[in-house]
């Protein structure tokens, strides 16, 4: 009997298995498909990392995660973070991250739209403010995912791909961590999450990588549109929480209307990018009402649902917490 079974080898399950195996725990990591498949939430070459959050709790969790990414880079001998900075575009400064960054003692610059446009080929809207924070950019998502899995296995974890867990009671382990992403309600129908199929598009852009950009929506006060560097095409962009509500096994491709909306924004915002999309793909969000993460214990089971479209950057810290919660069961 294993100490811990981890159900789901997306980025959260892989980070958890790594944290457990590194502590000498006997871990089995189950994945219904293969690591790196494109039906869940963790595939693709890049994800935004940033310290800048309007919420101090997330600033501190991001800071802890940066240290975790650096540790994994060292152990795996691969560069995972490309920190070209984060540009947060806000119409109303109170809506942004400046107060939380002040509380965390983190440095940042506030630039007028004109000054920001002089510094980066980014079409900041007139009258808006650009908050630049250097501890931001991208994590190489595919390399990071592979590094967590490979290091977990190097520390003794057993990876079982193409192995779907149907009943947690049948899992041969003293503790079980469920990091099933958009499939989590298959085990916990009561969990307050909903799933959407999101669409991202890729655009040709040459030259030095731009900072990652998040444009806040004056109405929803949340994220609206975002972009980040893509190591192959140059620019990746998407609309946050814009996808249709669907089940995790529902088939479907990129939403042409969303691709068009994102391409229109890219045409307005990135003068040196070709606004004709060269590729598009889908990816699943599993979203909670307040976009916070569910890290919860129920008997010998620990649930880890950390997404809402912004979880990847926190994987080192979330993985460590889920591992600690599982160890408490042993
Ligand atoms: C379009 C898009 C853009 C994003 N951009 C960012 C960003 O810029 N920055 C950021 O920080 N975050 C971002 N995110 C969020 C981030 O990617 C997710 O929060 C994260 O990948 C969630 O990982 P997960 O491991 O919980 O889920 P998943 O990757 O979905 O992993 C769950 C795994 O469990 C497996 N599984 C499910 N049920 C079973 C079972 N019964 N048996 C065995 N295996 C099972 C699944 O096959 C899957 O591999 C984005 C997400 C999307 C969709």
């Amino acid at each position: 009997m294993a100490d811990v079974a981890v159900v789901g080898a997306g980025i959260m399950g892989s980070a958890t298995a790594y944290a457990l195996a590194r502590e000498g725990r006997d871990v089995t990591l189950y994945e219904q498909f293969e690591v790196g498949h494109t039906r869940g939430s963790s595939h693709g070459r890049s994800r935004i990392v940033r310290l800048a959050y309007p919420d101090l709790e997330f600033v501190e969790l991001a800071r802890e995660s940066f240290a975790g990414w650096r540790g994994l880079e060292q152990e795996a001998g691969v560069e995972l973070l490309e920190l070209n900075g984060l540009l947060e575009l806000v119409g109303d400064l109170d809506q942004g991250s400046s107060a939380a960054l002040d509380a965390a003692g983190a440095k940042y610059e506030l630039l007028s739209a004109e000054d920001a446009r002089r510094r980066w080929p980014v079409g900041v809207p007139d009258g808006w403010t650009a908050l630049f924070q250097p501890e931001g950019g991208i994590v190489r998502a595919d390399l990071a995912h592979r590094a967590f899995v490979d290091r977990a296995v190097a520390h003794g974890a057993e990876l079982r791909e193409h192995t779907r867990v149907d009943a947690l009671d049948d899992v041969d382990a003293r503790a079980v961590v469920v990091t099933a992403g958009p499939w989590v309600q298959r085990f916990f129908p009561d969990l307050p999450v909903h799933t959407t199929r999101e669409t991202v598009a890729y655009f040709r852009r040459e030259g030095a990588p731009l900072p990652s950009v998040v444009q806040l929506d004056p109405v929803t006060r949340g994220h609206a549109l975002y972009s980040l560097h893509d190591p192959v095409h140059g620019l990746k962009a998407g609309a946050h929480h814009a996808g249709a509500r669907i089940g995790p096994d529902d088939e479907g491709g990129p939403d042409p209307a969303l691709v068009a909306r994102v391409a229109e924004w890219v045409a307005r915002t990135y003068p040196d990018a070709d606004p004709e999309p060269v590729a598009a793909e889908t990816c699943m969000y599993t979203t909670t009402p307040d976009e916070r993460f569910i890290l919860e214990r129920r008997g010998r089971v620990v649930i880890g649902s950390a997404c809402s479209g912004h979880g990847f950057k926190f994987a080192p810290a979330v993985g460590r917490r889920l591992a600690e919660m599982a160890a408490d069961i042993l």
Side-chain angles (χ1 to χ4, degrees), residues 7-13 30-34 37 39-43 46-49 53 145 163-166 179-184 186-187 198-200 226 228 236 282-285 304-314:
V7 179
I11 198 66
M12 298 304 163
Y30 293 90
E31 173 48 52
Q32 63 181 341
F33 307 122
E34 68 288 342
H37 69 88
R39 302 178 61 168
S41 309
S42 296
H43 55 280
S46 60
R47 294 286 191 281
I48 294 175
V49 290
Y53 264 84
H145 196 178
T163 308
R164 193 178 77 185
V165 172
D166 291 319
T179 46
W183 288 268
V184 70
R186 186 183 285 162
F187 298 112
E198 302 294 332
T199 292
V200 292
Y226 61 88
L228 56 163
K236 172 182 178 179
T282 63
C283 176
M284 302 283 294
Y285 280 11
S305 181
C307 182
S308 296
H310 72 122
F312 202 107
K313 64 180 75 61
F314 299 112

Side-chain angles (χ1 to χ4, degrees), residues 43-309:
H43 55 280
R45 290 180 291 272
S46 60
R47 294 286 191 281
I48 294 175
V49 290
R50 56 185 162 102
L51 199 65
Y53 264 84
D55 188 315
L56 180 57
E57 187 192 332
F58 280 125
V59 175
E60 289 167 344
L61 194 66
R63 194 171 258 164
E64 182 188 329
S65 301
F66 273 115
W69 288 124
R70 290 303 187 200
L72 181 63
E73 284 184 325
Q74 209 155 31
E75 191 180 315
V78 58
E79 188 191 345
L80 299 175
L81 298 179
E82 296 177 11
L83 301 186
N84 300 296
L86 186 275
L87 268 180
E88 182 183 75
L89 309 185
V90 289
D92 163 6
L93 206 46
D94 295 344
Q95 185 193 353
S97 302
S98 48
L101 290 169
D102 286 335
K107 291 196 172 39
Y108 60 90
E109 293 171 62
L110 293 177
L111 299 100
S112 68
E114 298 71 25
D115 288 346
R117 288 197 297 256
R118 263 192 294 277
R119 198 149 146 195
W120 299 278
V122 176
V124 181
D126 285 337
W128 282 50
T129 301
L131 180 155
F132 178 73
Q133 214 286 327
E135 292 154 287
I138 64 166
V139 57
R140 286 299 311 274
D142 48 0
L143 302 180
H145 196 178
R146 181 44 62 187
F148 270 133
V149 171
D150 290 353
R151 295 312 305 164
V153 170
H155 287 290
E158 182 190 348
L159 171 64
R160 295 194 190 163
E161 294 178 285
H162 304 293
T163 308
R164 193 178 77 185
V165 172
D166 291 319
L168 299 180
D169 292 345
D170 301 344
V171 175
D172 186 23
R174 296 161 60 204
V176 180
V177 178
V178 176
T179 46
W183 288 268
V184 70
Q185 284 177 321
R186 186 183 285 162
F187 298 112
F188 306 103
D190 63 315
L191 218 66
V193 297
H194 70 272
T195 54
T196 53
R197 176 186 297 116
E198 302 294 332
T199 292
V200 292
Y202 295 86
F203 302 85
R204 246 190 303 280
R205 185 184 169 276
E206 312 288 334
L210 287 173
S212 293
V213 173
V214 290
Q215 179 159 331
L216 303 193
D217 182 317
V219 179
T220 67
R221 302 191 68 76
H223 276 184
L225 294 144
Y226 61 88
S227 75
L228 56 163
H229 176 64
D230 173 60
V232 171
H233 301 299
L235 192 71
K236 172 182 178 179
H240 198 40
H241 292 297
R245 286 198 182 204
I246 53 119
D249 292 316
D250 295 352
E251 297 296 330
D255 177 341
L258 279 176
V259 173
R261 178 180 161 201
V262 171
E264 189 276 327
W265 179 63
V266 165
R268 248 182 314 116
T269 310
Y270 301 96
D272 65 356
D274 176 347
E276 185 57 37
V278 287
E281 66 183 352
T282 63
C283 176
M284 302 283 294
Y285 280 11
T286 307
T287 299
T288 58
D290 61 2
E291 300 192 15
R292 294 184 174 294
F293 304 149
I294 297 173
L295 308 182
E296 182 182 318
R297 179 180 163 183
R298 296 187 183 182
R300 84 191 236 287
V301 177
V302 174
I303 305 170
S305 181
C307 182
S308 296

